[in-house]
């Protein structure tokens, strides 16, 4: 049984790694390749605003009615639509495909999260059977957290591969840029007798990058020289998009053929005992063998009520700021880091390499954290989260780019990649553990809050300078960690209460 669970787990890991890696690679380029008038950033905003509403009104129903498998495949079809729209990135085309894709954007994440949580629980059950013990030495939460850590290691590795592909294509088809100060400094540095002057002017140009980048100063009325560094070869981009679309279509075929369709709803042990007790009271001979009732199987209204009960439950309200901060962090990486720190200083051709470093750091940290988190517990892990994120923001805030320290862009990518992966593991893990009896709804609403965070970052991206956004990120970080500590306390108290109730129901049943 463990072998079967492992096989399906790795099919999910590898296929999603490839499909999401292709999509994420294009998303990372948006704020650079479509920088003029903020088209790329606006398309990201439209995607995640649409996705936020979709998480509330559409995605939970897709997961519960069609199952995780077909929801995953349908969502990946949205990847294809959005990537294809970048072949002709006008306002009409890109915004239209952003809306279409936004409706389905969260579908793959909600579905794959159900898969990972489901297989984590199944592996725990198989481990208990294999060890022939009534009580496993490791909890189901251990296996779920470990499954998510390994899954996000694969996701990060896939993104690293796709960004490596981006680097190859954009550098292979790199446009020749002439008569710019940057070109004179790097190519003619040993020929030009005004090298010192050129370097000084280049350093002055770099002062508007990094934390001092203010997108509104150049995206609407920027000169050709100002926008040149953000615009790669059209041939290279088009070939890249074609490769990514082909990869996603292959992935969808593999998933359709091999994957099972797991349930999105699990009964808690208390619910099982209560249902069995009610079945006996009603003298129902076959009630216990029936499939647990899933929210939404009765009516749209019942499903909507279940969604709103989840949103306004105390535990979710406490965890909500963490999900929002996760979205801000992801949005910061794909818009501010790629544009203000990479394209602005090194050129758009280096975005792929920088994001490869970013995602490889996330991959390594996932492997490490998969061993650390279950052993030190969530509370101590949150302290580690604060340290890593605080380090990244302070480096980004106080770093002054010059021609002699541009290597620091990659160091920043390493820190941001590690930090983003930490908050990803935390948000996914607590969702799976806190709300394991309603995974479809919980992951959909988690994605809703996360997408609002990404959309918020996209909304203010063209209005605020980067240093302002860093200060805001720091404030939300403090709030999210504080409320998540409170969520942990609330969850433990509720768990203890349920365990006492379970014992009472078991005792009543044994006496009867």
């Amino acid at each position: 049984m463990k072998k079967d669970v492992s096989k399906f787990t790795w099919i999910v890991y590898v296929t999603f790694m490839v499909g999401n890696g292709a999509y994420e690679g294009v998303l990372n380029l948006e704020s650079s390749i479509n920088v003029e008038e903020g088209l790329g950033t606006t398309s990201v905003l439209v995607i995640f605003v649409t996705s936020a509403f979709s998480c509330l009104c559409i995605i939970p129903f897709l997961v519960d009615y069609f199952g995780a498998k077909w929801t995953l495949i349908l969502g990946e079809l949205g990847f294809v639509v959005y990537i294809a729209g970048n072949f002709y990135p006008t306002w009409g085309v890109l915004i239209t495909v952003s809306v279409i894709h936004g409706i389905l954007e969260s579908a793959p994440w909600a579905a794959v999260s159900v898969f990972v949580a489901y297989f984590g629980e199944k592996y725990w059950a198989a481990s208990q059977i294999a060890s022939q013990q009534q009580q496993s030495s490791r909890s189901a939460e251990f296996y779920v957290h470990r499954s998510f850590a390994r899954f996000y290691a694969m996701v990060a590795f896939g993104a690293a591969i796709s960004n490596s592909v981006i680097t190859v294509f954009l550098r292979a088809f790199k446009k020749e840029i002439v008569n710019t100060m940057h070109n004179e400094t790097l190519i003619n540095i040993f020929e030009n007798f005004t090298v010192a002057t050129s370097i000084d002017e280049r350093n002055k140009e770099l002062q508007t990058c990094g934390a001092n980048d203010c997108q509104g100063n150049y995206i609407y009325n920027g000169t050709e020289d100002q926008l040149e560094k953000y615009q790669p070869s059209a041939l290279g981009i088009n070939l890249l998009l074609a490769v990514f679309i082909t990869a996603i279509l292959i992935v969808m075929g593999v998933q359709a053929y091999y994957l099972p369709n797991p349930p999105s709803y699990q009964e808690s042990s208390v619910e099982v005992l209560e249902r069995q007790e009610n079945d006996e009271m009603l003298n129902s001979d076959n009630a216990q063998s029936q499939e647990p009732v899933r929210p939404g199987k009765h009516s749209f209204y019942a499903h909507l009520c279940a969604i709103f009960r989840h949103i306004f439950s105390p535990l979710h309200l406490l965890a909500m700021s963490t999900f929002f901060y996760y979205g801000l962090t992801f949005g910061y990486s794909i818009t501010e880091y790629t544009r203000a720190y990479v394209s602005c200083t090194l050129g758009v051709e280096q975005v792929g390499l920088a994001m490869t470093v970013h995602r490889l750091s996330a991959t390594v940290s996932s492997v490490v954290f998969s061993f650390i988190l279950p052993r030190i517990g969530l509370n101590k892990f949150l302290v580690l989260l604060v340290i890593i994120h605080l380090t990244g923001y302070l480096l980004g805030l106080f770093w002054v780019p010059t021609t002699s320290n541009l290597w620091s862009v990659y160091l920043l990518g390493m820190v941001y990649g590690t930090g983003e992966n930490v908050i990803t593991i935390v948000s996914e893990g607590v969702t799976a553990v806190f709300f394991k009896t309603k995974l479809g709804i919980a992951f959909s609403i988690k994605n809703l809050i996360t997408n609002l965070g990404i959309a918020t970052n996209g909304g203010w991206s063209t209005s605020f300078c980067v240093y302002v956004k860093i200060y805001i990120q720091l404030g939300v970080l403090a709030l999210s960690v504080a409320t998540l500590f409170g969520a942990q306390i609330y969850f433990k108290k509720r768990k203890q209460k349920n365990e006492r109730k379970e014992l009472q129901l078991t005792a009543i049943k044994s006496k009867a």
Side-chain angles (χ1 to χ4, degrees), residues 73-322:
I73 293 171
L74 185 61
E76 288 168 341
L77 183 60
F79 290 170
V80 173
V81 171
Y82 181 69
I83 294 174
N86 278 270
F87 280 111
Y88 190 66
T90 63
W91 278 92
V93 172
L94 201 56
I95 298 304
T96 299
V97 297
S98 295
V99 172
I100 295 171
H101 166 53
I103 294 172
L104 299 171
E105 192 278 334
S106 288
W109 289 103
V112 80
S113 296
V114 171
F115 269 114
V116 176
Y118 175 77
F119 287 137
E121 292 270 0
K122 286 292 183 183
Y123 198 88
W124 169 71
S127 298
Q128 284 189 313
I129 295 172
S131 61
Q132 295 181 344
Q133 295 177 354
Q134 291 294 326
Q135 297 292 331
S136 174
S137 58
R138 289 176 173 173
S139 66
E141 286 82 359
F142 171 89
Y143 287 98
V144 171
H145 276 297
R146 190 180 68 174
S147 293
F148 274 103
R150 290 178 175 178
F151 167 69
Y152 277 99
M154 295 294 292
V155 170
F157 184 65
I161 293 175
S162 73
N163 283 292
S164 299
V165 173
I166 289 172
T167 301
V168 171
F169 274 83
L170 295 191
R171 290 180 69 87
F173 297 94
K174 183 177 180 180
K175 291 197 303 185
E176 293 295 330
I177 303 174
V178 296
N179 297 326
T180 65
M181 186 59 64
H182 180 54
N183 205 45
E184 289 179 5
T185 303
L186 296 182
I187 296 178
N188 303 325
I189 192 168
F190 298 109
E191 301 176 4
N192 195 334
F193 65 90
T194 60
V195 168
T197 303
S198 297
I199 292 177
D200 287 343
E201 291 185 13
R202 174 61 179 153
N203 285 335
K204 184 178 179 180
E205 177 188 326
L206 289 171
Q207 300 308 299
T208 58
C209 297
N212 292 323
D213 175 87
C214 300
Q215 201 177 159
N217 292 341
Y218 55 85
I219 62 173
Y220 299 110
N221 54 6
T223 65
E224 185 176 344
D225 285 348
Q226 286 177 310
L227 298 177
E228 188 76 47
K229 56 190 172 185
Y230 300 104
Q231 298 168 347
S233 161
L235 176 60
I237 282 292
N238 289 337
L239 288 174
L240 181 67
L241 298 177
V243 169
F244 282 163
I245 288 175
T246 302
I248 296 174
L249 292 174
I250 293 172
V251 159
M252 291 167 62
V254 172
Q255 291 169 341
Y257 185 80
Y258 285 105
L259 287 182
N261 204 8
S264 63
Y265 178 77
Q266 302 176 45
E267 289 181 301
S268 67
S269 55
V270 172
E271 288 174 320
V272 170
L273 289 169
E274 289 179 337
R275 179 171 58 81
Q276 290 176 348
E277 184 179 17
N278 291 335
D279 290 342
E280 290 174 359
M281 291 176 63
L282 295 171
N283 295 318
S284 176
D285 296 331
N286 62 348
Q288 291 189 35
S289 64
Q290 295 175 357
E291 179 186 359
V293 176
R294 299 180 187 178
K297 286 294 182 181
H298 295 307
S299 68
F300 176 86
Y301 176 75
H303 204 146
L304 204 58
C305 287
I307 290 172
F308 279 95
R309 280 197 301 270
H310 171 75
I311 291 175
F312 294 105
S313 65
L315 188 57
H316 181 261
L317 290 174
L318 287 169
M320 194 163 58
S321 60
T322 300

Side-chain angles (χ1 to χ4, degrees), residues 13 15 48 57-58 64 115-116 136 145 197 261 271 315-316 332 353 370 387 402 412:
Y13 285 0
T15 56
F48 290 102
C57 303
I58 298 174
D64 280 329
F115 269 114
V116 176
S136 174
H145 276 297
T197 303
N261 204 8
E271 288 174 320
L315 188 57
H316 181 261
Y332 181 87
L353 180 58
S370 68
I387 293 172
T402 65
L412 272 174

Side-chain angles (χ1 to χ4, degrees), residues 452-471:
L452 286 176
I454 300 173
T456 300
N457 184 87
W460 65 40
S461 184
T462 58
S463 303
F464 293 159
C465 294
V466 173
Y467 68 86
V468 175
K469 300 165 194 171
I470 292 177
Y471 290 132

